[in-house]
Amino acid sequence: MFEESGLPLYKSLYEKLRRQIEEGIYRSGDLLPSENELSALYGLARSTVRNALDRLVNDGFIVKQQGRGSIVKGKAKGVGILSLKSTSSALGGNLSTRLIVKPEIRSWKEAFGYTISQNERDAGCIYFERLRLINNRPVFFDITMLPNINLPRFTMHKLENASLFDLLRTAYQIEVTGGVQHLYALKANKELQEYFQVKAGHPVLQLNRKIETNRPGMHIYSKVFCNTQEYALFGTF
Amino acid sequence: MFEESGLPLYKSLYEKLRRQIEEGIYRSGDLLPSENELSALYGLARSTVRNALDRLVNDGFIVKQQGRGSIVKGKAKGVGILSLKSTSSALGGNLSTRLIVKPEIRSWKEAFGYTISQNERDAGCIYFERLRLINNRPVFFDITMLPNINLPRFTMHKLENASLFDLLRTAYQIEVTGGVQHLYALKANKELQEYFQVKAGHPVLQLNRKIETNRPGMHIYSKVFCNTQEYALFGTF
DNA sequence: AATTATTACTTGTATATACAAGTTTTTTAG
DNA sequence: CTAAAAAACTTGTATATACAAGTAATAATT
């Protein structure tokens, strides 16, 4: 079944099930086929199936219950805090992104207070700024920096919506393994007042993150400002 | 070695290694004994050792590197956002907690906008409020609510520092499995102005959380206000 | 018909084995 | 002494097997 993909068997099964959940083939509350059924279906040992399911549990796609089965949750865990959600109504397809600074190669200046390694400094910095709008109203302003290590044609990709981590995972096999984050509440400065169309003194949420990946020594540095008046910064963990 | 504990073997090993890391027997950067060594040391199959190590990886205590070994990180992942850290200097032993409302049994009114199940409603609500001070200056004010299900003598325990989750894990075998959180920046109201000793208009960070546990249907509801002027809300993930 | 006991099915725990892939140390060759 | 090759480690992937523990469906009993 999975022979020619080059990926490990458990990873192929993980991606297949993940895709099926994201495409709605399995819906929230559904039971996945049992471990023995998946084992027979794809000709894998039960341990291999369990390895794939363990990762789906870790990523928040399913929960398991002894005696019952694997229950689909339907949505992935966020990366720390990343996802966003309306405080009032469901967030439809009204999310848009405006690139303030298109992805470009720079030299490193600073990384929001986090320390960067010599490797990262030598590689140079991919830098971009985005303003995100919900229903055409600006809600998030974020700055992202990452080292330019083995990322051919990165600046060619569109960086819209929340696709950065999907792009890194599917195109470069880079996965997020963890990180640290710092949160502040502050008053909007002039730049943010302009971006968010708010008055002086308006409270704004600031989120700084240093994100670890499965590439040793490669981190993603991110700074997000959020106008939480109508929309909250939302996350699952 | 672990026969009489009643716990599964992999869990006993997990707890043992976790304890050793937290007590500083293994320091950050150290290598744990290899899987084969642990296997021989405690008379366990390598799979069982790997099960324990996988959990240590998930909890952020170690990272593994193929060909090298299991490298100790030394600090656990926070529960979503929970830990706190000074923005200027290292946080010494100067953290103290003042119980504003001692743990008491109430009936449920609301749960910070989150929906609670009928089971939880029937069980009643354990409620408490805490003010946390760093160097005798108030920084966090939090309200916690959880259903009173099979928690004998809970209100007898001291709830100081960040011990709630340790208490639940060690005394009641309750572990956090995930959750959702919402973040806002807002201006301090009169109550918070008093608690934090700040002026009107001061920006304050608010964090609402619904935390899932390994007990199906049991959640912890938490609301935290934070004065981030000197200390940031800090978390690892 | 309702209750109880049994059975079948589910995930959880545990062991044993084998080889692949990556890293470090040791040995060997120059 | 240096550099390459080999060996001896490490974790990663994969299979096969067995029984325990929890849940759901079925059969038996009252």
Side-chain angles (χ1 to χ4, degrees):
Chain A
M1 183 71 201
F2 298 126
E3 289 81 2
E4 61 276 357
S5 67
L7 284 174
L9 298 175
Y10 77 87
K11 235 171 207 173
S12 299
L13 179 57
Y14 164 87
E15 290 290 352
K16 186 174 192 70
L17 293 172
R18 178 194 170 118
R19 235 179 296 124
Q20 290 178 334
I21 292 171
E22 283 177 339
E23 288 171 1
I25 295 172
Y26 296 113
R27 297 187 189 178
S28 186
D30 286 357
L31 288 178
L32 287 187
S34 76
E35 296 176 354
N36 284 323
E37 283 173 336
L38 289 170
S39 171
L41 244 172
Y42 299 111
L44 303 172
R46 193 182 150 213
S47 312
T48 306
V49 172
R50 280 181 69 79
N51 193 342
L53 293 182
D54 282 350
R55 279 152 213 269
L56 289 172
V57 170
N58 267 322
D59 292 349
F61 287 103
I62 62 172
V63 290
K64 298 178 89 177
Q65 191 181 345
Q66 187 175 1
R68 272 193 69 195
S70 300
I71 304 146
V72 174
K73 277 176 115 175
K75 55 182 191 318
K77 274 196 284 195
V79 179
I81 292 179
L82 190 79
S83 316
L84 36 126
K85 197 183 172 187
S86 165
T87 55
S88 50
S89 65
L91 182 60
N94 301 321
L95 176 67
S96 60
T97 302
R98 189 189 307 160
L99 269 174
I100 302 292
V101 175
K102 290 181 184 174
E104 60 181 37
I105 315 276
R106 292 187 178 186
S107 61
W108 289 93
K109 283 167 194 159
E110 55 91 40
F112 315 135
Y114 299 113
T115 54
I116 60 177
S117 68
Q118 193 60 42
N119 262 353
E120 290 176 314
R121 186 173 295 280
D122 294 341
C125 166
I126 296 174
Y127 181 102
F128 57 92
E129 295 181 6
R130 299 181 290 185
L131 188 65
R132 305 206 197 179
L133 304 93
I134 300 177
N135 296 325
N136 285 320
R137 299 188 51 174
V139 177
F140 298 97
F141 171 69
D142 63 68
I143 304 172
T144 305
M145 300 193 289
L146 64 162
N148 184 27
I149 307 175
N150 265 357
L151 295 172
R153 292 182 302 284
F154 182 88
T155 55
M156 299 302 170
H157 288 97
K158 298 181 205 166
L159 286 166
E160 288 167 353
N161 306 329
S163 66
L164 172 62
F165 294 101
D166 275 340
L167 170 66
L168 289 173
R169 185 172 61 87
T170 55
Y172 303 100
Q173 281 77 49
I174 295 175
E175 288 173 43
V176 171
T177 55
V180 295
Q181 53 192 356
H182 291 85
L183 282 148
Y184 309 88
L186 67 159
K187 295 179 183 175
N189 64 13
K190 282 188 181 173
E191 189 187 11
L192 292 173
Q193 286 169 39
E194 202 174 305
Y195 282 138
F196 291 150
Q197 302 286 327
V198 294
K199 290 181 290 185
H202 191 88
V204 170
L205 195 148
Q206 178 184 344
L207 166 64
N208 293 353
R209 288 187 299 173
K210 177 176 184 175
I211 299 165
E212 300 166 5
T213 72
N214 56 350
R215 285 199 192 172
M218 178 176 183
H219 302 88
I220 301 160
Y221 302 88
S222 158
K223 179 153 136 180
V224 183
F225 293 99
C226 179
N227 177 11
T228 62
Q229 195 164 35
E230 289 179 56
Y231 300 93
L233 204 46
F234 167 82
T236 54
F237 57 93
Chain B
M1 184 71 200
F2 298 127
E3 289 81 3
E4 62 276 356
S5 67
L7 284 175
L9 298 175
Y10 78 86
K11 236 173 206 172
S12 299
L13 179 57
Y14 164 87
E15 290 289 350
K16 186 174 192 71
L17 293 172
R18 178 193 171 119
R19 236 179 295 124
Q20 291 178 335
I21 292 171
E22 284 178 337
E23 287 171 1
I25 295 172
Y26 296 113
R27 296 186 190 180
S28 187
D30 286 355
L31 289 177
L32 286 188
S34 75
E35 295 175 354
N36 284 324
E37 284 173 334
L38 289 170
S39 171
L41 244 171
Y42 300 110
L44 303 172
R46 192 180 152 216
S47 313
T48 307
V49 172
R50 280 181 67 81
N51 193 341
L53 293 182
D54 282 350
R55 278 152 214 271
L56 288 172
V57 170
N58 268 321
D59 292 348
F61 288 103
I62 63 173
V63 290
K64 298 179 90 178
Q65 190 182 345
Q66 187 174 1
R68 272 194 68 197
S70 299
I71 303 144
V72 175
K73 277 176 115 174
K75 55 182 193 314
K77 274 195 285 196
V79 179
I81 293 179
L82 190 77
S83 316
L84 36 126
K85 197 184 171 187
S86 165
T87 55
S88 50
S89 64
L91 182 60
N94 301 321
L95 176 67
S96 60
T97 303
R98 190 189 305 161
L99 269 174
I100 303 292
V101 175
K102 290 181 183 174
E104 59 180 36
I105 315 278
R106 292 188 178 185
S107 62
W108 290 92
K109 284 167 191 157
E110 56 92 39
F112 315 135
Y114 300 114
T115 55
I116 59 177
S117 68
Q118 195 58 43
N119 264 353
E120 290 176 313
R121 187 173 295 280
D122 294 342
C125 167
I126 296 174
Y127 181 101
F128 57 92
E129 296 181 5
R130 297 182 292 185
L131 189 65
R132 305 206 197 178
L133 304 92
I134 300 177
N135 297 325
N136 286 322
R137 299 185 51 174
V139 177
F140 297 96
F141 171 69
D142 64 69
I143 304 172
T144 306
M145 299 193 289
L146 65 161
N148 184 28
I149 307 175
N150 265 357
L151 296 171
R153 293 181 302 283
F154 182 87
T155 55
M156 299 302 171
H157 288 97
K158 298 181 205 165
L159 286 165
E160 288 168 354
N161 306 328
S163 65
L164 172 63
F165 294 101
D166 274 341
L167 171 67
L168 290 173
R169 184 172 61 86
T170 55
Y172 303 100
Q173 282 79 49
I174 296 175
E175 287 172 43
V176 171
T177 54
V180 296
Q181 53 192 355
H182 291 84
L183 282 148
Y184 310 88
L186 67 158
K187 295 179 182 174
N189 64 15
K190 283 188 181 173
E191 190 186 11
L192 292 173
Q193 287 168 39
E194 201 174 305
Y195 282 138
F196 291 150
Q197 303 285 329
V198 295
K199 289 181 290 185
H202 190 86
V204 171
L205 194 149
Q206 178 183 343
L207 166 64
N208 292 353
R209 288 188 298 174
K210 178 176 183 174
I211 298 165
E212 300 166 6
T213 71
N214 56 350
R215 285 200 192 171
M218 178 174 181
H219 302 87
I220 301 160
Y221 302 88
S222 157
K223 179 153 138 181
V224 182
F225 293 99
C226 180
N227 176 12
T228 62
Q229 196 165 33
E230 289 180 56
Y231 300 93
L233 204 45
F234 168 82
T236 54
F237 56 93

